[in-house]
Amino acid sequence: MAILTIHSLNLQIENKILCRDLSVQIGENQRWGLLGKNGAGKTTLLHALIGQRRASQGSIRLDGKSIYDLKQRELASKVGILFQQGIEALPATVFETVMLGRHPHTQSLLWDDQKDIEIAESALDAFNLDQLKERDVGTLSGGELQRLALAMLLAQTPQLFLLDEPSNHLDVAFQIKLLSVLTNKVAETSASLIMATHDINLAFRFCENIILLLADGESLVGRSVDVLTEENLSQAYGCPIKSVSSGDHRLFYPA
Amino acid sequence: MIAQKQILLLIALTAFCVASMVFSLLSGSVDITVAQLIQSIVSSESSLNSQVLQEIRVPRTLAAFVTGGLLGLSGAIMQVLLRNPLADPYILGISGGAAVGALSAILVGATGFWLSNAAFAGALFSIFLVFGIANKFGNWSVTRLLLTGVVVSAGWGAVINILLTTSSTNNVQSMLFWLMGDLSQSSVNSAHYLLLLVGLVGGIAVSRSLNVLIRGELLAVSLGVNITSLRLLLFFSASIFTATAVTIAGSVGFVGLIIPHMLRLVGARDHRILIPSCVLLGGSFLVLADSLARTLIAPQQLPVGVVTAVIGVPAFIMILRSTIRK
C-alpha cells in the first residue's frame, strides 16, 4: 500500500518550471533519494509535500486523502520534515527543543504527557544527545544542532520522513549513523523516507529508489541501480560524472 | 517541560504581586498602617481610612495592575508574533493612534469618559489602518506588518508633535502627562478585569503553539500549527489589550518591552509559564511604580511612565549583565 501518491504534479516558481508531470508512488518501508543540481527544485518539492507550496497541477495524496483536505495538525502528525536551514539557536534547552517535535500529538493543554517525554528522551538517545539534555541550544556546535533537529523529527514519529540535506554539518561517522537510525526507524514503524541530498554516493547507499530532477522540469523516477547511471547523472548535473563499481557498491565522482 | 523551578517562579511572582498591592494601599498622603488596613478590610465601619482606601487607593491599585498585566501580556504576544526582541505593545502604532485621539480630546476640553473613548477610538482606527495596509495583497508577512506599524507610528508621532506645538500651555501639561502614562485619572470596571482574565486564559491555552511559533513560521507549520489563524488571533488580541491599556493609563512605557524579556532571562521561556508570569509581574511592577509616582515628590505626582523607566531600565540592565556572566 502506498503511503504517498504524487500524481501528475506540476510545480513552478514564477515562470520557472521545476517539475512537470511528476508521478511517484511511495510505499511503506521505502527510502527514496531526491537528487538534482542546485535550483532544480528539490526543496520546493519537499515543501509542496507539506502543503507549503501549492502545485499548479496534479495531486498529492497521503493514505488516499489529498493533503489539502487534511488539517495542519493531522498532516503534521503523519509527515515530518527536516529543513535545510536546520533549527535556530534560540534560547531554550535541548530537551525543551526536542519536545516541540511532539507538538502535533500532544493532547494536554498544560502538562507534558509521560509518553511524550519518553519518546523525546529516546529520540535524544538515538542521536547521542542524552548527555546534552539540559544544555542551552545556543551553546551547541553545528553538528550537534543538526542532530538535535533530527532528534526533533524522530520525536514527531511521522509516517513519512522528509529530509532536506540531512548530512549538512555532520561528520562521516554521524552521516552513516544518522542514516542507519532512520533506516531502522522506517523499517520498525513501516514508515517511508524521502531524502534530498547532493551526496550521490550516500543516496545510492541508503535509498533503493531515486527521483532525479533534470533541467526544464523533466525527471527520472525508478530504482537507484537503474536511475543512477553515468549518463543520467551527467545530464542532470551538466557535468561529466563517472563511476566505479565493486561488488554491490558503486562510487560516483566528477570526471 | 515545566520544571519545579518554574513553578517556584510563579509562586514568587504571586507573592511579589500581593506585596506590591499592600505597599500601594499603604502609601499616599494619608498614613495608613498595616493594622489599620486589615481593620478596614474586616470591619464594615466607615472611617476616613476605609474611605480613602475604597474610593482612592483600591481603584487606583487595581487600575495599575490591570494596565500592567495587559501590557505585559501584549508585549509577550507581540514578541512572538513579530519574532523580534524589540517588539513591544506600541510598535505597531496603536499607542500613537490612541495618543492622537486622546490629545485631540484634551484640545477640545474633553475629560474622563470622552477622553477615554477618544483614545480607544484612535487605537482601534490605528489597528485597522495597519492591518488594512499590511494585508492589502492577502499576504501579510511579519516584515510587512512590522514595517507598516513602524511607518504608521512615525506618522502618528508627527501628528502628536503638531498637536503639542499648537496647543496652549495648559493643555500641553495634560497632554504630556497622558503621553508619558499616568494613572491619576484612571478607573477600571468589570469589563477590564474580564478582558485581562480572558487574555490570561486564552494566552495559556495557545501557549504551546507560541512555543513553536517563536522558533519560526515554517517550523510551526511543519509541526501542525495553523499559523494563519493563530497570527490573526495574536495580532487582534494583543492589539485590543494594548488599546485597552493605553485607554486606562496613556502610553506607559517599558512595561511591555522589558517585563517579558526579564522573565525570559530568568528562565521563563516556556510560554505556559511566561504568559501568566508576564501578567503577574507586569501588573505588580506597574502597581509598585505607581505607588512611587504618587509618593516620591508628594504632594506632587509624577507620571507613572517616568517611574517605570527609572526602575525598569537599570533593573533590566542588571539582569542582563548577571545572565551574561553565567
Side-chain angles (χ1 to χ4, degrees):
Chain A
M1 153 100 191
I3 289 180
L4 180 76
T5 312
I6 301 173
H7 181 68
S8 188
L9 189 74
N10 281 14
L11 283 176
Q12 60 184 74
I13 291 183
E14 304 197 340
N15 290 327
K16 191 182 178 201
I17 294 173
L18 296 170
C19 235
R20 181 182 291 135
D21 205 20
L22 174 71
S23 293
V24 187
Q25 287 222 340
I26 293 178
E28 282 177 10
N29 196 11
Q30 289 186 354
R31 297 182 304 278
W32 286 73
L34 176 57
L35 297 177
K37 67 175 181 184
N38 287 147
K42 301 185 292 294
T43 299
T44 310
L45 179 58
L46 292 182
H47 286 191
L49 298 180
I50 56 164
Q52 275 306 285
R53 188 169 287 280
R54 225 31 204 253
S56 46
Q57 184 199 308
S59 64
I60 303 169
R61 292 176 177 277
L62 196 67
D63 290 330
K65 266 198 210 162
S66 166
I67 59 162
Y68 304 125
D69 295 339
L70 292 175
K71 288 221 171 74
Q72 198 75 49
R73 192 175 151 94
E74 214 178 329
L75 184 63
S77 67
K78 291 177 177 166
V79 182
I81 184 167
L82 174 84
F83 291 108
Q84 197 179 87
Q85 304 83 337
I87 47 174
E88 275 180 63
L90 279 173
T93 66
V94 166
F95 188 70
E96 283 167 350
T97 307
V98 75
M99 275 298 280
L100 297 178
R102 295 306 297 159
H103 188 75
H105 303 280
T106 314
Q107 299 297 328
S108 151
L109 200 61
L110 275 186
W111 309 110
D112 293 324
D113 204 49
Q114 193 55 38
K115 194 185 111 219
D116 290 335
I117 294 175
E118 279 163 20
I119 292 174
E121 278 176 344
S122 77
L124 286 180
D125 276 350
F127 290 105
N128 299 18
L129 289 166
D130 38 318
Q131 299 298 316
L132 305 181
K133 207 174 141 184
E134 296 305 326
R135 273 268 292 278
D136 203 278
V137 177
T139 65
L140 300 182
S141 74
E144 285 164 343
L145 267 178
Q146 181 72 354
R147 277 149 58 200
L148 177 57
L150 285 159
M152 204 164 121
L153 177 64
L154 209 57
Q156 199 180 343
T157 58
Q159 270 179 282
L160 177 63
F161 290 83
L162 305 176
L163 305 149
D164 201 350
E165 309 282 0
S167 54
N168 269 355
H169 305 290
L170 295 182
D171 64 37
V172 179
F174 266 115
Q175 289 182 15
I176 302 302
K177 159 112 186 166
L178 123 85
L179 289 164
S180 68
V181 168
L182 288 172
T183 304
N184 289 339
K185 201 70 189 173
V186 164
E188 255 170 54
T189 57
S190 305
S192 39
L193 166 163
I194 305 175
M195 169 173 99
T197 180
H198 285 295
D199 191 333
I200 308 168
N201 294 313
L202 213 59
F204 185 81
R205 180 167 174 167
F206 281 98
C207 304
E208 62 288 64
N209 299 289
I210 293 289
I211 302 168
L212 179 62
L213 301 177
L214 306 172
D216 298 329
E218 301 303 319
S219 49
L220 294 169
V221 176
R223 293 181 53 75
S224 311
V225 281
D226 304 328
V227 176
L228 295 182
T229 62
E230 290 180 357
E231 194 193 342
N232 289 343
L233 288 168
S234 303
Q235 192 199 340
Y237 289 99
C239 94
I241 289 174
K242 298 270 182 210
S243 68
V244 287
S245 295
S246 142
D248 285 344
H249 283 278
R250 200 183 285 179
L251 205 61
F252 299 90
Y253 61 95
Chain B
M1 196 162 61
I2 297 182
Q4 229 171 0
K5 206 180 92 186
Q6 293 173 315
I7 302 287
L8 282 178
L9 177 70
L10 276 184
I11 295 171
L13 288 175
T14 311
F16 179 62
C17 177
V18 173
S20 69
M21 286 195 172
V22 171
F23 179 73
S24 167
L25 293 177
L26 296 181
S27 28
S29 50
V30 177
D31 280 324
I32 297 178
T33 62
V34 180
Q36 285 167 327
L37 175 65
I38 294 168
Q39 205 206 347
S40 69
I41 293 169
V42 291
S43 86
S44 55
E45 254 175 74
S46 171
S47 63
L48 177 66
N49 283 346
S50 66
Q51 229 176 344
V52 167
L53 281 170
Q54 273 170 23
E55 281 165 29
I56 302 171
R57 291 196 195 162
V58 170
R60 185 154 176 177
T61 302
L62 290 173
F65 184 81
V66 171
T67 309
L70 286 173
L71 288 175
L73 188 59
S74 172
I77 294 175
M78 287 289 188
Q79 284 164 12
V80 179
L81 175 70
L82 300 170
R83 299 195 63 233
N84 190 317
L86 286 177
D88 78 348
Y90 306 144
I91 199 163
L92 295 182
I94 298 166
S95 63
V100 170
L103 267 49
S104 310
I106 294 171
L107 193 66
V108 300
T111 51
F113 175 77
W114 287 108
L115 178 62
S116 300
N117 277 0
F120 195 67
L124 283 186
F125 177 74
S126 192
I127 293 168
F128 285 102
L129 183 69
V130 168
F131 188 74
I133 298 172
N135 196 33
K136 180 124 193 242
F137 304 103
N139 83 18
W140 59 298
S141 71
V142 163
T143 322
R144 204 183 154 87
L145 185 65
L146 190 58
L147 286 176
T148 312
V150 169
V151 167
V152 169
S153 251
W156 289 131
V159 179
I160 291 167
N161 284 338
I162 293 170
L163 288 171
L164 283 174
T165 46
T166 54
S167 299
S168 68
T169 328
N170 243 347
N171 282 341
V172 168
Q173 172 86 4
S174 347
M175 287 178 176
L176 286 177
F177 258 72
W178 196 95
L179 286 174
M180 285 184 271
D182 175 37
L183 282 153
S184 56
Q185 311 292 327
S186 304
S187 68
V188 284
N189 57 40
S190 45
H192 295 116
Y193 304 129
L194 188 67
L195 183 71
L196 182 61
L197 187 68
V198 168
L200 175 65
V201 172
I204 294 173
V206 297
S207 57
R208 275 188 193 278
S209 299
L210 297 180
N211 287 343
V212 183
L213 183 60
I214 202 166
R215 301 301 185 95
E217 298 192 349
L218 205 52
L219 185 75
V221 169
S222 81
L223 290 173
V225 177
N226 184 339
I227 61 163
T228 316
S229 53
L230 180 63
R231 290 196 317 180
L232 275 177
L233 177 76
L234 296 180
F235 173 78
F236 282 105
S237 57
S239 299
I240 291 298
F241 302 153
T242 307
T244 308
V246 294
T247 304
I248 301 172
S251 333
V252 182
F254 295 97
V255 180
L257 175 68
I258 284 177
I259 295 296
H261 279 306
M262 270 185 181
L263 289 164
R264 284 200 188 94
L265 286 172
V266 300
R269 295 178 300 209
D270 189 318
H271 287 83
R272 287 173 285 175
I273 298 295
L274 184 67
I275 293 288
S277 301
C278 279
V279 171
L280 283 171
L281 188 60
S284 344
F285 177 65
L286 200 57
V287 167
L288 200 61
D290 183 54
S291 318
L292 295 174
R294 60 199 151 87
T295 49
L296 278 181
I297 55 160
Q300 255 198 307
Q301 299 206 356
L302 281 167
V304 69
V306 173
V307 183
T308 55
V310 169
I311 316 176
V313 173
F316 184 75
I317 292 171
M318 255 167 58
I319 293 181
L320 190 62
R321 280 179 62 97
S322 73
T323 48
I324 289 170
R325 231 177 275 136
K326 260 190 261 164

